Amino acid sequence: PDDERLPLSGVLSLAQMSDGRLFAGATEGLFAFDGHGGTVTFDRHAPDRAESIGRGYVAALLPWQRDTLWVGVGGGGQVEAFRHDPAATESLSGDYVTTLAPGPDGEIWVGTRSDGLNLCRVDPFSCRRIPGIDNAAPADHHVTALRRGREGELLVAYDGGGVRRISAVDGADASRTQR
């Protein structure tokens, strides 16, 4: 029956952990499938629960060291809620996280919807904002996808066109945009 189906109408991201658990980030929240017995759990933002995920769509998932899952949402960070703080230059550049990728030396690349690209250190959490092409072209603000290249560089796709290669070592522009 339809009322027994999971509300997975808007799946935006998938991630599988080393123990077989599968996570689906959706417009409704975060679904976890145990990978063995068919048990499914669901979490969504609940302002009265400090341990709930951030508000908004679950747009990005990144399995991490020691079986940790980073969750990027359209409203701020993960369970520990790493967020944009206008007064802190080392915070995320924006709260709508669109994509995540492993970075160099245990860091994480974080792409945002309207505020560009960040390279973040995990412990203690701090981010370095990576300048856009030509230092602020509007199309560089909405990062849609991140992938590691064959030589370890980061490939960054932008809404509005273009793919940029960024050095995995220092975040410097390694090529011009190809539109």
Side-chain angles (χ1 to χ4, degrees), residues 143-164:
V143 178
T144 58
L146 300 171
R147 295 292 177 265
R148 296 299 291 253
R150 288 186 302 234
E151 299 171 17
E153 76 277 23
L154 183 71
L155 304 173
V156 184
Y158 297 95
D159 186 26
V163 175
R164 181 176 169 204

Side-chain angles (χ1 to χ4, degrees), residues 64-89:
W64 197 246
Q65 303 161 355
R66 296 180 303 277
D67 218 25
T68 298
L69 181 68
W70 283 83
V71 178
V73 297
Q78 58 149 173
V79 171
E80 291 187 44
F82 300 116
R83 302 194 55 143
H84 171 66
D85 177 353
T89 59

